[in-house]
Amino acid sequence: MKATIVLLPGDGIGPEVTASALAVLRIIAETFAHDFMFVEHLIGGAAIDATGLPLPETTRAACLSADAVLLGAVGGPRWSDPNARPEQGLLQLRAALGVFANLRPVHVHPRTAALSPVKADRLVGVDLLFVRELTGGSYFGRRSRDADSASDECRYTVVEIERVLRRAFELARARRGRVTSIDKANVLETSRLWRETAIRVAADYPDVTLEHQLVDSMAMLMLSQPARYDVLVTENLFGDILTDEAAVLAGSLGLLPSASLGEGRRGLYEPIHGSAPDIAGKGSANPIGSILSAALLLRHSLGLANEAAAIERAVHTVLDTRELTRDLGGNANTHDITDAIVATLTRHAAARAA
Ligand code: NAD
Ligand code: IPM
Ligand code: MN
């Protein structure tokens, strides 16, 4: 198939891990005979340096006409002007693309489980899918600031809550049929609206079990009983925080991918980690979160489920057998892991052809 994929490498380790994902997508195109066109654009700090804006109009326009967008990471200590922050570019892009549902799957590979501070027996069978609301809440509310006070409005409409909940219920149907809706309904009005909406929407999905959990206790339960959960759906800020915590189950933040989806097929794909200024430029970043994001891109935006599964299988093989990156206690660098995944994909393709 033919597809246009916009690459937004961004800042810090963003370009390093995006190069890895690109190498993987090129091998997929070659071995499965697809015609992918890759177009690179600026976002974040790199875009501020070049144009003064974190999301230049050319980047926005390219993303809006692409089949999918693969982003590395934005941000870093060099860009601290509150009027031109790299992160604003990402938020503007999410809003422009209308990608209200951010899927963050969390799997625990048996080998990396040993690296988690959570006891290995608690990690058996962990298979979570976070559905984080991505275009509302305090990220997009009105802000105010004066000399001695500041505010960030958290606002949600029923429409915004309902569409992301429906996405969670639909995804749960194709999994183990359980949705945990996470809120702070004992304190926040937005959370009370969220919970009421969840109860109402659940009536349309009698085959799915809905449970509510307050976000503070969820933060604890996710580490003490992670295997109990299936699909977890929550508002923007809670989802941001809980998914970095969930990375502890997997063994490293560098492993987790994400897919941001709206109503159509077009999506924005990015690892959940940031630009990691502490390791940027060292060639030691773990590229797996970005590579698995490329797999999600193939599955959700291009409908290429077999190709996505091929990448996931290759990552699994490499996690099983190879020296790992530093975040996973090994000594391999970004290139070593990328080469190993590309070589595994090539080997698997040759085996298929034989
Ligand atoms: P971070 O995710 O960049 O890093 C947190 C820690 O995890 C660091 O020690 C880092 O070295 C490590 N880490 C992250 N990804 C890794 C990888 N692939 N391999 C190995 N180690 C990895 O979070 P931070 O330091 O709080 O944020 C740095 C900057 O990134 C900030 O400007 C923040 O706004 C931005 N950020 C951007 C995104 C994004 O673009 N989607 C996401 C999160 C943070
Ligand atoms: C993420 C990041 C972003 C977020 C920042 C960089 C705006 O932390 O993608 O998880 O908070 O959504
Ligand atoms: Mn985050």
Side-chain angles (χ1 to χ4, degrees):
M1 83 172 297
K2 257 178 138 70
T4 302
I5 300 171
V6 167
L7 302 173
L8 305 176
D11 309 317
I13 62 167
E16 302 170 38
V17 299
T18 304
S20 299
L22 174 60
V24 165
L25 285 170
R26 283 197 197 286
I27 278 295
I28 289 289
E30 195 180 308
T31 54
F32 287 85
H34 295 303
D35 184 4
F36 296 157
M37 188 166 83
F38 299 102
V39 203
E40 195 173 311
H41 283 279
L42 293 169
I43 194 168
I48 291 173
D49 288 349
T51 71
L53 294 172
L55 181 69
E57 186 47 40
T58 44
T59 301
R60 176 206 293 266
C63 293
L64 283 168
S65 62
D67 295 296
V69 181
L70 182 69
L71 181 132
V74 294
R78 273 182 51 213
W79 302 280
S80 55
D81 175 357
N83 296 311
R85 280 199 66 102
E87 291 83 354
Q88 286 164 350
L90 179 54
L91 299 182
Q92 288 165 10
L93 180 61
R94 289 171 179 172
L97 291 170
V99 286
F100 58 82
N102 180 223
L103 280 47
R104 297 187 162 190
V106 183
H107 296 121
V108 182
H109 188 277
R111 182 157 168 225
T112 58
L115 301 163
S116 170
V118 176
K119 289 192 177 75
D121 61 317
R122 309 262 169 117
L123 295 172
V124 176
V126 170
D127 176 10
L128 308 177
L129 177 59
F130 271 89
V131 181
R132 168 190 176 194
E133 200 292 322
L134 201 63
T135 52
S138 54
Y139 277 66
F140 292 91
R142 269 197 299 268
R143 302 188 198 295
S144 77
R145 176 71 188 262
D146 57 33
D148 48 21
S149 77
S151 73
D152 299 276
E153 180 192 44
C154 181
R155 188 166 186 279
Y156 268 110
T157 65
V158 171
V159 170
E160 287 172 322
I161 299 172
E162 186 166 337
R163 65 188 179 184
V164 73
L165 280 163
R166 288 198 183 277
R167 191 59 61 88
F169 278 99
E170 276 150 25
L171 289 160
R173 265 191 173 156
R175 293 171 47 99
R176 302 194 302 281
R178 298 195 49 194
V179 168
T180 303
S181 172
I182 302 159
D183 62 38
K184 185 74 185 171
N186 54 346
V187 176
L188 301 177
E189 205 53 51
T190 42
S191 281
R192 287 193 270 271
L193 183 63
W194 184 282
R195 192 175 284 215
E196 281 166 28
T197 308
I199 292 167
R200 181 168 50 74
V201 166
D204 292 341
Y205 302 86
D207 48 331
V208 177
T209 314
L210 169 67
E211 142 186 88
H212 306 278
Q213 205 59 251
L214 294 170
V215 62
D216 47 355
S217 68
M218 189 67 233
M220 177 276 294
L221 289 166
M222 196 174 67
L223 295 186
S224 54
Q225 307 177 44
R228 251 186 62 186
Y229 300 94
D230 179 13
V231 173
L232 303 104
V233 60
T234 192
E235 65 113 278
N236 205 340
L237 181 60
F238 297 162
D240 179 45
I241 298 167
L242 288 175
T243 50
D244 265 36
E245 187 190 347
V248 170
L249 303 169
S252 167
L253 190 55
L255 290 170
L256 299 200
S258 85
S260 304
L261 304 169
E263 297 294 358
R265 267 204 151 179
R266 182 185 308 123
L268 168 64
Y269 300 84
E270 46 174 321
I272 84 157
H273 64 71
S275 59
D278 53 336
I279 58 164
K282 297 192 173 144
S284 64
N286 188 339
I288 290 179
S290 184
I291 289 170
L292 290 175
S293 298
L296 295 178
L297 180 158
L298 296 174
R299 178 175 293 122
H300 293 286
S301 283
L302 306 188
L304 300 175
N306 291 338
E307 288 79 345
I311 295 177
E312 287 158 355
R313 223 168 17 249
V315 166
H316 192 91
T317 304
V318 166
L319 283 175
D320 263 344
T321 55
R322 296 303 187 100
E323 165 105 33
L324 302 174
T325 40
R326 295 227 168 90
D327 53 315
L328 294 171
N331 258 318
N333 60 36
T334 310
H335 284 294
D336 299 329
I337 292 291
T338 308
D339 290 351
I341 291 170
V342 166
T344 307
L345 278 166
T346 311
R347 209 173 56 244
H348 289 176
R352 266 198 315 277

